[in-house]
Amino acid sequence: MTSSVFHSIKFTLEQAIATSALTCVLAFFAALGLSHFNLKLRWQASFNVLIIAPNILPSIFIIIGYLNAFQYFGGFPYGLWGVVLVQAMVNVGWVAINFQSTIEQKLGGVLDLCWIEGASRWRVLKEVVSFLRADIANQFLSVFLIAIASFSIPLILSGGHGSSIEVYIYEILRVKGDLARAALLALMQGLVVFFISQIIYRNSKIIPENLNSRHANLSPFGFSLVGWALLIPTFLLIVGLSCIRFNQDARTDLYFYLGDILRSLPFTFMIGLLSASVSFFILSLLIYHLPNAQVRRHFSSLPVTSLALLGFVFFMVGGHSPMWSMIKISLGLSLIFLPQLMRMFLTSELSRLENQYLLAVTLGASRGQIFKFILWPQLSKRVVAAAQLMALWSIGDFAFSSIVAVDSFHLSLVIRDLLTCYRLEVATLCCWLLVAVGIILYFLIGRIFNVSYK
Amino acid sequence: MESGGKTNSIGRLIFTLIVIFAIFYLGYNQFGAPKSSKNKHLQVLSYSSFSSLLGPGAEIKKQFEKICDCELVIIDGGDAGILLQKLKYLEKIDMVIGLDQFQIRENALKFAWKKLKPEDFWMLPENFKLQNETFAPFDWAPLTFIYRDKDFTQWHSPNLSSVFDLKKSKFISLQNPRSSSVGVYFIWWLWSQAGENEENYRKLITEFMPKIHSVSSGWDASYGLFQKGHAQMTFSYVTSLIYHWVNEKDHQYQALVDSAGHPFQIEYFGIPETCENCELAASFAKFLLEPPIQELFLQKNYMFPVLADLPALKELKLPELNRLKNVDQFLKNKDVLIEIWDQQMAKNQ
């Protein structure tokens, strides 16, 4: 083990901890604001897709977008805090949505009681935080693991200090083709993450269930403006990417590339849909099988698998036609992000429902009945949300796809090709197309995956 | 969270997904799947900027298929650095295009390759000869700093010392040597500038560090940051100027010339021993060195062709750079030098 590996572990941990802390703090307050909106459900969905939109874009466009936007504020703060800021802006949306749903589902009665008893705003806030310790720990861990696996953002925005372990794994695979050594490094990273997760879970209590599932009244908090602030990251990104000129040369290039771009759209759409389907069904299965707290904790502690390593493994198996590659990319990305989706959307919810589950078991309900009548009705929206996020992540990926595919058949790979041929303007235009596909998928998945198992 | 609304049954969801997938599959088979009436297929593995529509691959395919009565299938291997690793798991590859001198010296000889006939490559100039009788060069480019005139108005004929002397900070975008081969070429350049001395090399990195704007995982990201003006200088191919001068007609882009020499990337092709259409691959190899095809490398790959006397090349008037000769010594020390680079970067964090 070289000293630079230790330095990179140190930097990776520092930026991951700072990113998770900042994201959770911002998202928590933003969630109070979101709940206060009391938006109509249709508008809520549109608002949600807007605030998680930065997740769709490949990293280089997130970076260029924010760098452009920050020029209006006197320049970008490179270094650790620049990395933390950008990663927090990308992740704050979905963490806030998760917090919002948790607060609404768990704290309705408690908050009403606090207001009636005349508790001060900050006293209530303190109680809310202590009630949601496990959820906050969960979201912290989710962002932490995303930040640890993050490759491009720390590397570029830290000014070169941010070689993560993933960079070393890629180097070993690229130069030496040594799968065993890469797997060892991935395992080492995985073990660190696993132990950190275990510690976090051990120190966070299971949240008591709230059988009166009424929505929390957050009006007295007066945080509505903070909710709107969630649009800032997307707004900055739109401003930043709009700065990119689209001149006559770019139009000619676009015309030349149009066939490839159009051909890539159905594949992009299918990758999103397949990844969403895989994660939807596996998460459903996990809900069916994982009411046991111990097993659940271990599963939720699973780290995100190394993208480069799994990419090589998936490249080695099966065929290489676009159809095969599409299936492999969808399946691979779903497997990589599944523990993450579990942590983000289900771990604390399953803990919350544990008492209901135990009561049902005591009364003689079968596992199927518990799933159909207790767990699924309360968790289905979260599983759908997980599938939506999975679709957005998968269509924006080009790191994993570049390793697995041998043809630029989906839009992210076309964008990579354009970048390698100096065509940044056309690539940026394709990013808007990617966002459009993401939004269509988001609503489509929200519509067709909204199922009951009855 | 997504809206509640009307719920479907699970059966309907599965049915909907099957219908969507079936429509897609039928559509792909009908309109999207490649169809060929040709009996012979030549399968070539290359990196993505070669195989993309804007790269030279598409035009080369068109030209070669006119004369070969075969189908040329160009397989996109992604990053040039992982071509060899992909070759291990791909079947029926008749040729690999895009190996550089590092890969040839470090890894390529672990694979079995067909010997090339030297008489087929008589046209290669003296400084670009066959390597190990198995790899033939097809294009090349020196690497240096690319910048815009308007950002460095005080410069007249800058060299590397001019960069060190600049009072500016955070203006160069680089590539990580662990994830990008271009990053490795920069390490080579720096080490040569340090007189191949480890202590000087450390000092040079420390002096250089304040000037680094960013270190990207790949060349495309670092060049994108430069193109958008976030970095005022980047480490790239001198031939990047071709894109700006010819395609964009923008002559403010310039290349830094250092008389001490520059690292040259030379790209080679080779025919694996396991090829299925080896004869066809051999004729394709000769085809790649024909003047019209060599010009395509200049126009679409933005690299110099190995044939030096092409008219298009003379019109360009790109700066002439000296070549570093110490590639073998560098490769012996490469791992240590990259490790030192990382250590110095971490120290100054």
Side-chain angles (χ1 to χ4, degrees):
Chain A
M1 182 75 50
T2 58
S3 69
S4 62
V5 175
F6 281 112
H7 276 295
S8 73
I9 291 176
K10 184 174 158 265
F11 181 84
T12 308
L13 288 176
E14 276 171 6
Q15 61 88 6
I17 290 170
T19 300
S20 334
L22 181 67
T23 309
C24 285
V25 170
L26 293 177
F28 182 77
F29 286 104
L32 297 175
L34 272 184
S35 298
H36 188 205
F37 281 166
N38 205 10
L39 293 170
K40 288 194 170 168
L41 243 38
R42 185 186 295 177
W43 285 106
Q44 181 94 48
S46 308
F47 188 84
N48 287 353
V49 73
L50 266 182
I51 62 178
I52 62 171
N55 282 279
I56 308 175
L57 293 173
S59 306
I60 181 62
F61 292 96
I62 292 176
I63 292 164
I64 288 179
Y66 284 133
L67 290 181
N68 283 347
F70 271 84
Q71 280 179 337
Y72 296 109
F73 305 99
F76 186 82
Y78 286 95
L80 178 68
W81 292 108
V83 175
V84 170
L85 187 66
V86 167
Q87 293 194 137
M89 285 203 288
V90 173
N91 293 308
V92 70
W94 60 259
V95 180
I97 293 170
N98 275 351
F99 275 145
Q100 176 210 3
S101 125
T102 309
I103 290 168
E104 284 182 354
Q105 284 174 11
K106 293 181 183 171
L107 296 177
V110 178
L111 282 178
D112 287 350
L113 194 63
C114 289
W115 302 131
I116 292 164
E117 293 290 329
S120 71
R121 176 188 296 183
W122 295 108
R123 170 82 197 174
V124 174
L125 200 60
K126 208 176 138 194
E127 291 308 316
V128 168
V129 172
S130 83
F131 256 108
L132 299 183
R133 258 177 68 184
D135 301 83
I136 294 171
N138 237 320
Q139 298 306 323
F140 180 92
L141 194 61
S142 303
V143 182
F144 176 79
L145 294 177
I146 286 180
I148 271 199
S150 180
F151 191 113
S152 301
I153 294 175
L155 197 58
I156 296 176
L157 296 180
S158 69
H161 309 301
S163 285
S164 62
I165 297 296
E166 198 61 22
V167 172
Y168 285 87
I169 294 173
Y170 183 68
E171 185 198 19
I172 292 168
L173 292 168
R174 187 176 69 92
V175 180
K176 305 193 168 72
D178 189 346
L179 273 175
R181 234 180 102 196
L184 192 71
L185 211 52
L187 184 73
M188 195 188 78
Q189 175 174 261
L191 282 175
V192 172
V193 170
F194 184 81
F195 285 119
I196 292 172
S197 314
Q198 290 285 321
I199 293 165
I200 291 176
Y201 283 127
R202 190 156 294 173
N203 291 322
S204 52
K205 292 174 201 158
I206 293 171
I207 305 157
E209 66 176 335
N210 179 9
L211 291 172
N212 312 315
S213 62
R214 47 191 293 175
H215 275 211
N217 173 18
L218 289 151
S219 316
F221 269 120
F223 275 116
S224 61
L225 271 177
V226 193
W228 288 110
L230 276 173
L231 289 173
I232 292 173
T234 307
F235 175 74
L236 286 178
L237 211 48
I238 291 171
V239 169
L241 290 178
S242 306
C243 296
I244 294 176
R245 278 179 306 123
F246 198 62
N247 54 23
Q248 185 56 43
D249 289 340
R251 278 189 206 108
T252 315
D253 290 336
L254 176 68
Y255 177 73
F256 190 65
Y257 231 84
L258 201 58
D260 268 23
I261 293 169
L262 293 178
R263 245 193 316 277
S264 70
L265 288 179
F267 278 107
T268 311
F269 180 83
M270 285 307 292
I271 283 178
L273 194 63
L274 272 181
S275 315
S277 309
V278 172
S279 48
F280 178 87
F281 286 111
I282 297 183
L283 286 175
S284 302
L285 272 175
L286 287 173
I287 292 173
Y288 186 91
H289 284 287
L290 281 183
N292 180 297
Q294 196 70 14
V295 179
R296 197 170 54 243
R297 196 174 81 188
H298 291 320
F299 187 86
S300 300
S301 302
L302 287 180
V304 176
T305 320
S306 161
L307 215 103
L309 183 64
L310 203 68
F312 263 91
V313 172
F314 269 78
F315 175 76
M316 285 153 57
V317 296
H320 297 287
S321 69
M323 195 60 89
W324 258 107
S325 300
M326 177 187 82
I327 292 168
K328 289 198 286 188
I329 290 169
S330 311
L331 194 63
L333 288 171
S334 305
L335 290 179
I336 287 170
F337 291 117
L338 208 63
Q340 190 68 332
L341 293 172
M342 178 78 189
R343 262 187 299 273
M344 284 162 59
F345 291 95
L346 292 174
T347 301
S348 70
E349 284 301 295
L350 281 165
S351 304
R352 178 176 73 86
L353 297 175
E354 192 148 297
N355 290 348
Q356 290 183 25
Y357 164 77
L358 290 173
L359 186 64
V361 170
T362 316
L363 293 173
S366 69
R367 185 171 271 190
Q369 284 172 321
I370 293 170
F371 175 77
K372 266 190 202 172
F373 301 111
I374 296 175
L375 299 177
W376 186 252
Q378 299 184 69
L379 296 174
S380 61
K381 281 183 190 172
R382 286 193 163 246
V383 177
V384 174
Q388 286 170 317
L389 189 61
M390 185 64 237
L392 302 191
W393 277 345
S394 61
I395 61 167
D397 162 81
F398 66 48
F400 185 78
S401 303
S402 291
I403 300 173
V404 175
V406 293
D407 187 8
S408 301
F409 67 93
H410 74 89
L411 198 51
S412 284
L413 291 174
V414 172
I415 290 172
R416 178 207 58 184
D417 283 357
L418 288 164
L419 281 176
T420 56
C421 295
Y422 300 87
R423 269 61 172 199
L424 187 65
E425 283 80 10
V426 190
T428 311
L429 190 84
C430 289
C431 277
W432 294 116
L433 208 55
L434 200 62
V435 172
V437 174
I439 291 172
I440 292 168
L441 272 168
Y442 183 89
F443 285 108
L444 183 80
I445 292 165
R447 178 75 192 89
I448 67 172
F449 283 68
N450 187 15
V451 297
S452 66
Y453 276 95
K454 284 172 191 167
Chain B
M1 216 66 45
E2 181 49 39
S3 61
K6 214 176 129 191
T7 58
N8 297 319
S9 70
I10 188 69
R12 185 179 288 181
L13 169 66
I14 293 171
F15 178 73
T16 310
L17 290 175
I18 290 173
V19 168
I20 293 175
F21 191 77
I23 292 171
F24 174 77
Y25 183 75
L26 292 173
Y28 171 73
N29 273 341
Q30 193 65 33
F31 307 107
K35 293 179 183 78
S36 171
S37 53
K38 306 275 171 61
N39 291 329
K40 285 188 284 183
H41 293 85
L42 180 70
Q43 297 226 83
V44 171
L45 176 66
S46 189
Y47 50 83
S48 50
S49 60
F50 177 91
S51 56
S52 79
L53 202 58
L54 287 166
E59 187 59 31
I60 290 175
K61 175 180 160 73
K62 210 194 284 176
Q63 303 277 344
F64 187 65
E65 284 179 351
K66 276 184 199 165
I67 56 166
C68 73
D69 191 29
C70 69
E71 195 200 353
L72 174 61
V73 181
I74 301 174
I75 295 169
D76 178 0
D79 177 14
I82 57 172
L83 286 181
L84 285 173
Q85 305 311 332
K86 288 199 167 179
L87 179 64
K88 279 185 200 166
Y89 306 103
L90 288 170
E91 289 169 358
K92 300 177 185 170
I93 297 296
D94 300 308
M95 183 186 274
V96 181
I97 297 182
L99 303 170
D100 70 1
Q101 67 266 45
F102 291 165
Q103 286 167 298
I104 285 179
R105 283 172 167 82
E106 287 188 312
N107 286 321
L109 294 175
K110 292 175 191 162
F111 296 76
W113 302 89
K114 286 256 182 234
K115 291 258 187 249
L116 300 173
K117 291 178 195 158
E119 62 271 23
D120 287 345
F121 299 94
W122 58 267
M123 69 294 267
L124 287 174
E126 194 53 42
N127 48 347
F128 295 113
K129 283 287 164 206
L130 293 185
Q131 290 281 321
N132 306 95
E133 296 173 43
T134 47
F135 302 105
F138 63 95
D139 69 10
W140 65 283
L143 288 114
T144 184
F145 285 132
I146 304 292
Y147 63 95
R148 279 171 289 256
D149 264 344
K150 63 169 185 175
D151 295 325
F152 301 93
T153 44
Q154 74 276 37
W155 276 359
H156 294 293
S157 44
N159 54 23
L160 199 53
S161 313
S162 326
V163 177
F164 280 100
D165 295 342
L166 268 180
K167 295 278 182 286
K168 247 178 173 172
S169 66
K170 293 189 187 297
F171 63 95
I172 303 175
S173 66
L174 294 174
Q175 305 79 19
N176 188 317
R178 295 199 184 274
S179 53
S180 157
S181 55
V182 178
V184 181
Y185 283 93
F186 179 70
I187 299 289
W188 179 16
W189 196 26
L190 214 55
W191 184 66
S192 304
Q193 287 289 331
E196 301 181 15
N197 176 294
E198 219 174 280
E199 210 40 54
N200 291 347
Y201 170 69
R202 275 179 203 275
K203 276 188 205 149
L204 217 52
I205 297 175
T206 314
E207 266 181 66
F208 195 73
M209 281 205 48
K211 306 192 183 304
I212 298 174
H213 164 272
S214 54
V215 179
S216 308
S217 52
W219 168 88
D220 46 357
S222 65
Y223 207 83
L225 290 168
F226 168 67
Q227 271 181 296
K228 285 299 114 203
H230 296 294
Q232 278 121 44
M233 189 180 271
T234 189
F235 186 68
S236 183
Y237 304 94
V238 75
T239 43
S240 298
L241 297 179
I242 301 173
Y243 173 74
H244 300 295
W245 291 5
V246 177
N247 290 54
E248 292 188 323
K249 302 191 176 41
D250 185 347
H251 280 261
Q252 63 170 322
Y253 287 85
Q254 297 297 334
L256 185 140
V257 181
D258 195 89
S259 56
H262 290 258
F264 280 28
Q265 185 182 51
I266 305 165
E267 296 194 297
Y268 295 83
F269 57 77
I271 301 172
E273 193 68 61
T274 51
C275 58
E276 284 211 334
N277 292 295
C278 308
E279 286 296 309
L280 201 54
S283 60
F284 184 58
K286 280 188 278 180
F287 179 76
L288 286 175
L289 295 173
E290 285 179 11
I293 303 304
Q294 282 282 290
E295 282 206 7
L296 280 178
F297 288 113
L298 185 71
Q299 291 154 0
K300 297 202 161 203
N301 217 27
Y302 306 110
M303 295 286 274
F304 287 129
V306 284
L307 301 189
D309 50 356
L310 299 175
L313 205 53
K314 285 171 191 153
E315 287 163 20
L316 271 170
K317 295 187 183 134
L318 287 175
E320 285 183 19
L321 284 79
N322 297 331
R323 179 174 170 179
L324 292 178
K325 304 270 194 234
N326 54 350
V327 60
D328 290 314
Q329 294 95 299
F330 170 70
L331 283 176
K332 271 184 215 150
N333 296 291
K334 192 186 98 182
D335 289 348
V336 177
L337 296 172
I338 293 177
E339 179 58 26
I340 293 173
W341 166 265
D342 266 349
Q343 282 170 6
Q344 296 298 101
M345 296 293 271
K347 243 189 226 171
N348 292 286
Q349 204 169 293

